[in-house]
Amino acid sequence: MKNDYRSNQFKKLLDNLQQESWQLELIISGFAIYGLIAGYDSIDLELLKAVQKEEGFTSFMLSTLLTSMLILIIILLTHVVIRGLWIGAIGLRYVSGDIDYRNLNYSEKFTSFLKNKVGAFDHYISRLENICSTLFALAFLMIFYLISFFMVIGVFAVSINYLEIIKSNSETFYEFIKGSFIFIYVFSILLLLIDFLGAGILKKYKWTSIIYYPIYRIFSYITLSFLYRPLVYNFLDQKNARWIGILIVPVYFIVSLFSSGFGTLRSNYLDHEQNTSQQFTGKENYEDQLIENTDMVNFASIPSKIIEKSYLPVFINYTNYMEDAVFKNDSTLLPEEDERGFGFHITNMQSASGLVSFQVAPIDNLENQSKYLKVFDSIFELQIDSKKQVYNFNLTKNRQEQFGFETILDIEELSRGKHFLRILGPDEKEKGVFEKDTLITIPFWYFPENSSLQNIQNTNELLGTITTN
């Protein structure tokens, strides 16, 4: 049957669905909360990886997504709690009806106050219903706003990426087009933000409407707002609901602040959140303590605090500044065009016998990698107790899939007990300026696993020598 939104039958259908929608609200809220909580740890893990790789753009996007997920969880949980309160109020109404202020036997002053402020019980139920419906609509409106945010950032990134095509023809023209595009795009986003925070303020005046209208039309496709625009305007025509929507932006920043900027100080001198040093052993620098998926190596790591073997594997996590330091020391490695940063990268693949396999790296690339590692060896220095070690780095990935450099040190001659591994190298004090400094100090304890047996053998040999003499 074709639905005519102007017919009385369709309106009655909507009225009935409106009365029964609370059941669907609870079901959808439950599934949404479960999905958000289940996916939160995975997104958090990807954020940690992005931070470790110093991928600023990805970190920003994932951080925004995590904060939005947290706000959604809070809104949906609040909706479920208030909807539960609404159901309880309806059940209580079935048992006791309306509030009988005379049976309370309060003084006239309090009875008059309660009648004005509390009112009828049905009015209370009606207010709970309105709050629940508004919160539910707001939660899913936030999802659309989040999609719009990523669409705006995505279109910007793709546009900048494709502008690189004209760079080869004219550098000056490319810089002009790129600068103009960034200015117009950012200016348009600022107008959208002003209109959003002002509840459509740019649409209310003739002269601002002339400027804003083409921007509004273009960004309605970029943000996909044409899909949910009726929901927005139906939401904004209610005064109270309008303020709730506007408060989402400051709420976002408040949640971000509380989730990342607060902690407990337990000592004036001892900091349990500090980095690994001579006085502190942080788990992020010992591979055997990286138990959870979210545990990542902070710059460098060794297998354990207690080393029983006569060798010491060392892993250094790759960070972007390292390549800048390599280029600073050997300009011949500097490519004609720096391809680092956000973009689309296609992995070369080939098919053989119906199977897909990765192509082998070109010979010139392998030679450059070998040269790169030699420079890396020369600008970094590994010391154990201030004694320089002999090493050669290779490329690798650790157990947490972090990309970096590894080497193995010979520590057979070390004495038993506590030692310090120091990694010295270029420290970027400011952009492009490097100074050699101690980057990290990792304590460890060396107790060879066969030392007791070796001591017994040495004692027996000594006793045999004495007896012979």
Side-chain angles (χ1 to χ4, degrees):
M1 181 182 72
K2 185 178 179 180
N3 291 325
D4 183 2
Y5 72 92
R6 292 168 293 188
S7 67
N8 292 330
Q9 185 178 2
F10 187 72
K11 290 180 179 179
K12 288 180 180 179
L13 175 63
L14 290 180
D15 289 338
N16 291 332
L17 290 174
Q18 181 177 305
Q19 297 298 324
E20 301 297 329
S21 65
W22 65 270
Q23 301 174 29
L24 290 174
E25 285 182 17
L26 286 176
I27 293 172
I28 294 173
S29 291
F31 277 110
I33 292 170
Y34 174 78
L36 288 168
I37 293 176
Y40 191 90
D41 287 342
S42 299
I43 303 297
D44 190 33
L45 175 60
E46 293 303 317
L47 174 60
L48 287 173
K49 289 180 179 179
V51 171
Q52 287 289 336
K53 295 176 183 177
E54 295 184 337
E55 296 175 350
F57 178 78
T58 305
S59 301
F60 169 72
M61 298 293 279
L62 291 176
S63 177
T64 302
L65 179 59
L66 276 180
T67 306
S68 302
M69 289 173 68
L70 186 59
I71 293 174
L72 269 175
I73 292 171
I74 293 171
I75 291 175
L76 290 173
L77 283 174
T78 305
H79 167 261
V80 170
V81 171
I82 296 178
R83 184 59 79 179
L85 181 61
W86 176 81
I87 294 171
I90 290 178
L92 183 60
R93 181 183 183 276
Y94 174 77
V95 174
S96 61
D98 206 347
I99 301 173
D100 190 346
Y101 292 101
R102 292 176 299 177
N103 286 343
L104 294 174
N105 199 26
Y106 291 160
S107 66
E108 183 178 346
K109 185 177 182 65
F110 272 97
T111 301
S112 175
F113 171 80
L114 292 174
K115 283 183 177 181
N116 290 330
K117 294 298 181 180
V118 178
F121 195 61
D122 287 355
H123 182 228
Y124 172 69
I125 294 175
S126 175
R127 282 186 295 167
L128 289 177
E129 168 66 27
N130 291 338
I131 293 172
C132 290
S133 298
T134 301
L135 283 175
F136 190 74
L138 177 63
F140 286 90
L141 190 58
M142 272 197 60
I143 293 175
F144 285 116
Y145 279 144
L146 186 63
I147 293 172
S148 297
F149 171 79
F150 283 111
M151 286 296 296
V152 169
I153 299 297
V155 168
F156 178 79
V158 170
S159 300
I160 292 296
N161 188 68
Y162 276 96
L163 281 176
E164 295 281 343
I165 296 173
I166 65 174
K167 188 175 183 179
S168 57
N169 298 327
S170 174
E171 181 77 24
T172 305
F173 182 66
Y174 163 76
E175 292 296 336
F176 172 75
I177 294 295
K178 181 181 177 182
S180 301
F181 172 76
I182 292 174
F183 174 78
I184 294 172
Y185 202 87
V186 172
F187 177 73
S188 301
I189 292 174
L190 288 175
L191 289 182
L192 286 170
L193 186 61
I194 291 170
D195 188 64
F196 172 76
L197 295 176
I201 190 171
L202 296 181
K203 304 183 186 80
K204 295 179 180 181
Y205 304 100
K206 185 177 180 179
W207 66 275
T208 55
S209 297
I210 295 173
I211 300 173
Y212 184 62
Y213 180 74
I215 296 173
Y216 174 80
R217 290 298 303 273
I218 293 171
F219 274 84
S220 68
Y221 291 100
I222 294 176
T223 61
L224 306 178
S225 63
F226 61 89
L227 297 175
Y228 59 89
R229 190 179 295 142
L231 183 64
V232 175
Y233 291 117
N234 201 339
F235 194 88
L236 291 177
D237 68 1
Q238 305 174 58
K239 186 175 181 180
N240 293 333
R242 185 188 312 160
W243 281 108
I244 293 174
I246 293 173
L247 285 173
I248 283 298
V249 174
V251 165
Y252 172 86
F253 288 106
I254 290 171
V255 171
S256 301
L257 180 65
F258 272 89
S259 61
S260 60
F262 286 85
T264 302
L265 184 63
R266 299 175 59 190
S267 171
N268 290 298
Y269 300 100
L270 308 179
D271 183 6
H272 65 280
E273 297 292 343
Q274 63 183 297
N275 294 323
T276 297
S277 63
Q278 288 187 223
Q279 293 80 22
F280 185 81
T281 55
K283 70 174 186 177
E284 66 276 1
N285 299 109
Y286 302 96
E287 293 280 353
D288 62 347
Q289 296 191 30
L290 305 179
I291 300 172
E292 304 294 335
N293 289 332
T294 53
D295 293 335
M296 298 286 173
V297 170
N298 183 14
F299 186 74
S301 68
I302 59 177
S304 177
K305 294 178 183 179
I306 301 176
I307 304 299
E308 298 178 341
K309 306 290 186 180
S310 59
Y311 52 87
L312 178 66
V314 179
F315 171 79
I316 297 180
N317 185 33
Y318 172 82
T319 53
N320 291 337
Y321 93 94
M322 293 177 179
E323 188 148 304
D324 294 330
V326 169
F327 293 159
K328 192 78 172 178
N329 279 265
D330 190 345
S331 59
T332 61
L333 284 169
L334 187 66
E336 293 182 4
E337 184 176 345
D338 196 338
E339 297 182 352
R340 290 177 294 175
F342 180 79
F344 295 94
H345 307 282
I346 301 175
T347 303
N348 294 326
M349 303 176 72
Q350 63 180 1
S351 178
S353 304
L355 299 176
V356 177
S357 59
F358 293 102
Q359 290 183 348
V360 178
I363 297 298
D364 58 343
N365 189 46
L366 292 176
E367 290 178 355
N368 285 332
Q369 283 188 4
S370 178
K371 188 177 180 180
Y372 188 108
L373 288 173
K374 287 181 180 178
V375 177
F376 187 86
D377 289 343
S378 67
I379 62 177
F380 283 86
E381 182 179 328
L382 303 185
Q383 296 181 357
I384 295 182
D385 302 334
S386 301
K387 182 180 180 181
K388 186 176 180 180
Q389 302 297 303
V390 178
Y391 58 88
N392 291 105
F393 280 104
N394 274 7
L395 299 173
T396 188
K397 282 188 176 182
N398 67 353
R399 61 192 292 182
Q400 302 299 84
E401 290 298 311
Q402 291 177 270
F403 176 71
F405 308 87
E406 72 171 354
T407 189
I408 299 177
L409 305 180
D410 184 357
I411 58 172
E412 187 175 12
E413 302 300 324
L414 282 185
S415 60
R416 292 163 57 88
K418 187 177 182 179
H419 299 275
F420 297 104
L421 168 68
R422 289 184 177 85
I423 301 178
L424 291 78
D427 187 8
E428 192 171 22
K429 302 297 183 181
E430 56 183 87
K431 187 64 177 177
V433 178
F434 301 94
E435 295 181 13
K436 193 166 185 178
D437 199 358
T438 300
L439 303 176
I440 192 171
T441 300
I442 305 177
F444 68 94
W445 286 260
Y446 180 52
F447 293 104
E449 57 184 358
N450 296 324
S451 59
S452 298
L453 178 61
Q454 186 65 43
N455 289 337
I456 293 173
Q457 291 175 348
N458 292 339
T459 303
N460 289 337
E461 290 176 2
L462 179 62
L463 291 174
T465 303
I466 294 172
T467 302
T468 304
N469 292 336

